[in-house]
Amino acid sequence: MSLEGVKHIILILSGKGGVGKSSITTQLALTLTQINHSVGILDIDLTGPSIPRLLNLESAKVTQAPGGWIPVPVH
């Protein structure tokens, strides 16, 4: 997927674990979708991504395609 057409990118990070980055990310994404914004989340937590758990998508799988990665849709 290309980032062409993406107007804004918000980066949520911390040098420490357990400070609520995934919770803030999820709440921010859900809030933005409620006011009709399209939102994508890229979770690169190396010790265990919690975004799938927070969005109840633990069984969903991200797949690779010739043009890149196919995201998991959330509606």
Side-chain angles (χ1 to χ4, degrees):
M1 272 192 110
S2 170
L3 291 179
E4 183 178 324
V6 173
K7 294 180 184 176
H8 303 284
I9 296 175
I10 300 171
L11 178 64
I12 299 173
L13 61 92
S14 172
K16 182 178 180 340
V19 295
K21 295 177 296 293
S22 295
S23 297
I24 293 294
T25 300
T26 302
Q27 289 302 315
L28 180 59
L30 293 174
T31 300
L32 289 171
T33 59
Q34 288 178 343
I35 55 175
N36 296 320
H37 289 285
S38 294
V39 176
I41 298 174
L42 175 62
D43 188 3
I44 55 170
D45 189 337
L46 301 176
T47 60
S50 55
I51 295 292
R53 183 172 26 87
L54 291 169
L55 294 175
N56 197 26
L57 296 170
E58 291 177 283
S59 62
K61 300 292 180 204
V62 177
T63 55
Q64 190 172 11
W69 295 97
I70 299 173
V72 174
V74 178
H75 301 280

